[in-house]
Amino acid sequence: MTDDTRTRLVRTARALIHGSSFAEVGIADLCREAGVHRGSMYHFFPSKEAVGLAVIDANWELLKALLEESFDTEAPPLERIDAFIGGFAGMLTAARGRMGAVPGCPIGNLALELSGRPGEASARIAEILTAWQRYFRDAVAEAVLGGHIPAGVDPDTAALRALAYLQGITLMAKAYDRPTLVAEARTAIRTLIQTPTP
Amino acid sequence: MTDDTRTRLVRTARALIHGSSFAEVGIADLCREAGVHRGSMYHFFPSKEAVGLAVIDANWELLKALLEESFDTEAPPLERIDAFIGGFAGMLTAARGRMGAVPGCPIGNLALELSGRPGEASARIAEILTAWQRYFRDAVAEAVLGGHIPAGVDPDTAALRALAYLQGITLMAKAYDRPTLVAEARTAIRTLIQTPTP
DNA sequence: GGTGCAGTTGACCGGTCGGTCAAGCGGTAG
DNA sequence: CTACCGCTTGACCGACCGGTCAACTGCACC
């Protein structure tokens, strides 16, 4: 309650949208849940789409925190990736406990919902996905240099594949409501990363 | 035009939803596009959700046709999977030509949008995903028996991983608007399938 | 000719949507 | 004291939402 009104709005919007979808969360719901009046919300955001963009950025900020924490260590590069996946799976299971169902990836959900439709959102999401890939790529590159991985591996495609698999398994985890799938992704992602690309 | 009204509704709904999302397609849009009057639509479907379910089934029917065509052959099992991925990628590139952007997987999109919310849709989608997996699983099992794949491979987890990767790379293809990513998925899925699971 | 029924038509409903706005609040600077 | 300003308040807007309904049409069956 000591929070900034704007902050409170973004935080509530984040939670509501993560629990369902951008389209399904109305301004009325958002304001009610955040304890903010309609007009007050429009004092901070010019439109609902602007709230959506703020939510995307907030999601990325949270995800980036986990990425930094997992990758900015002296652990061997492949273990950093494992650590990140563990943390990511942890976030999902925690969210499931909070909301009763696996909510899916905060970025991936919005990627499917907002990509390929007018507005800045799709570009922003593409940027975020490439930034995310970059963390994987750097770790893979370091693993190649360190000899933990065959030299034939291209860090960029390995990173793309790793993120794709993570997104896909998270989708399945949501569809089946089985968060453990994500934690088990470690081995599959290792094989994806360790296999040379022609 | 000689089509059944109901069929025309489902077909149009399929196209519209695939182009954006279930939530964004209104009854008004649907009826206008299909050339059907409001009340007429409600003669065939009790609710919008029912239309959604019909669309899910129609999507599955189309996908199943491609699956049957790819897997019900005498080609070596691993090549059947390749063939399917090729066909799937072809569908996406064709859709991109038609609609101007990669639309994503007709099932995966709805999986993320409708899973974990009240209604039969989520259960229906989970069924479809497992049915889809089954095609992969049978092919993998046959490949194990035929010795094309190490004996340590568990067909079920291999199939899960393959489908997860396909979904994930399709998500990325939509986000980046790069349909070629899906066609290139063949090699990654091969490595996922050929690696033994402990 | 009459009856029944699948299918059509389009006006209509209450509710909710995203968005606006004029008035009012407390604090602060002149 | 007053004038300004960031922020709040809640009534209000037209458009659109999913859904209803009574009247109507064409056709098959008796």
Side-chain angles (χ1 to χ4, degrees), chain B:
Chain B
M1 274 302 174
T2 41
D3 275 1
D4 205 280
T5 302
R6 199 198 129 98
T7 315
R8 210 167 353 128
L9 276 169
V10 175
R11 182 165 22 91
T12 328
R14 232 185 56 78
L16 290 179
I17 291 176
H18 197 200
S20 54
S21 73
F22 177 71
E24 260 176 11
V25 175
I27 305 278
D29 309 328
L30 169 56
C31 291
R32 192 186 330 112
E33 215 67 20
V36 170
H37 289 267
R38 236 186 160 55
S40 214
M41 192 224 102
Y42 276 98
H43 176 76
F44 293 99
F45 299 97
S47 67
K48 188 191 177 186
E49 195 201 345
V51 180
L53 289 174
V55 166
I56 293 177
D57 287 338
N59 280 340
W60 172 230
E61 224 57 46
L62 251 68
L63 187 66
K64 200 159 55 181
L66 179 62
L67 282 163
E68 294 289 349
E69 180 195 326
S70 311
F71 283 91
D72 195 22
T73 67
E74 285 160 8
L78 293 184
E79 290 181 21
R80 294 177 216 159
I81 296 182
D82 285 352
F84 171 73
I85 296 173
F88 188 73
M91 284 177 51
L92 285 185
T93 25
R96 190 186 122 108
R98 229 182 300 125
M99 317 197 281
V102 179
C105 169
I107 299 295
N109 288 351
L110 294 172
L112 273 199
E113 187 177 0
L114 304 179
S115 278
R117 90 174 199 179
E120 315 168 30
S122 50
R124 191 80 196 86
I125 283 170
E127 283 169 29
I128 288 177
L129 287 175
T130 52
W132 189 345
Q133 263 177 258
R134 222 170 290 135
Y135 284 88
F136 287 170
R137 187 244 285 150
D138 291 346
V140 171
E142 198 180 322
V144 171
L145 287 183
H148 309 96
I149 271 183
V153 169
D154 171 43
D156 277 299
T157 68
L160 172 68
R161 289 176 175 183
L163 182 51
Y165 185 81
L166 186 59
Q167 287 294 337
I169 202 69
T170 308
L171 184 149
M172 307 285 283
K174 181 178 182 183
Y176 291 149
D177 196 35
R178 277 177 52 194
T180 55
L181 289 182
V182 180
E184 296 160 5
R186 276 180 260 216
T187 64
I189 288 183
R190 279 245 183 176
T191 60
L192 277 177
I193 284 178
Q194 286 167 334
T195 307
T197 33

Side-chain angles (χ1 to χ4, degrees), chain A residues 6 27 37 41 58 62 65 73 75 118 133 150:
Chain A
R6 199 198 127 97
I27 305 278
H37 289 267
M41 192 225 101
L62 251 69
T73 67
Q133 262 177 259

Side-chain angles (χ1 to χ4, degrees), chain A residues 13 19 28 40 44 47 61 63 70 84 92 98 109 111 129 131 133 168:
Chain A
S40 215
F44 292 100
S47 68
E61 224 56 46
L63 187 67
S70 311
F84 170 73
L92 285 185
R98 229 183 300 124
N109 287 352
L129 287 175
Q133 262 177 259

